[in-house]
Amino acid sequence: SGFMNVKSPAGAAGFWQFMKPTAKSYGLEISDEVDERYNLEKSTEAACKYFQDAYKLYKNWTLAAASYNVGMGVLNKEIQNQKRDN
């Protein structure tokens, strides 16, 4: 994100480029008045929790990073479709 308060064409926002549903699932508040995806401390804590959860699931940092890029749901489908786990 270049340390700027930007939003991607897909709707990801803030330094960590969280999508709304993922941000909310990791405890970030998003409303008409507040968007904690732009709060560096709170969004960094959420990103760390995400990576911890992804690593617990995939047991692999490369897959954890890939899931951050595309989402766990998409990655799970690709793993299943390609019949690979790495």
Side-chain angles (χ1 to χ4, degrees):
S1 70
F3 294 105
M4 299 175 71
N5 289 340
V6 297
K7 187 176 274 190
S8 76
F15 176 76
W16 288 99
Q17 291 291 282
F18 272 113
M19 297 294 286
K20 279 184 184 182
T22 305
K24 287 182 177 185
S25 73
Y26 281 90
L28 298 178
E29 180 183 348
I30 300 172
S31 68
D32 290 338
E33 294 83 28
V34 176
D35 190 339
E36 289 184 336
R37 295 177 293 176
Y38 295 108
N39 180 304
L40 187 57
E41 185 176 337
K42 290 181 180 182
S43 66
T44 298
E45 288 178 12
C48 290
K49 289 176 187 173
Y50 179 95
F51 281 114
Q52 287 175 328
D53 289 347
Y55 185 78
K56 285 178 190 174
L57 177 63
Y58 299 113
K59 312 268 189 284
N60 177 306
W61 284 115
T62 304
L63 288 176
S67 77
Y68 192 83
N69 188 36
V70 299
M72 289 186 200
V74 170
L75 184 59
N76 291 341
K77 287 179 189 174
E78 285 302 315
I79 288 171
Q80 185 177 17
N81 289 342
Q82 295 181 28
K83 297 178 175 55
R84 297 285 183 252
D85 62 358
N86 63 40

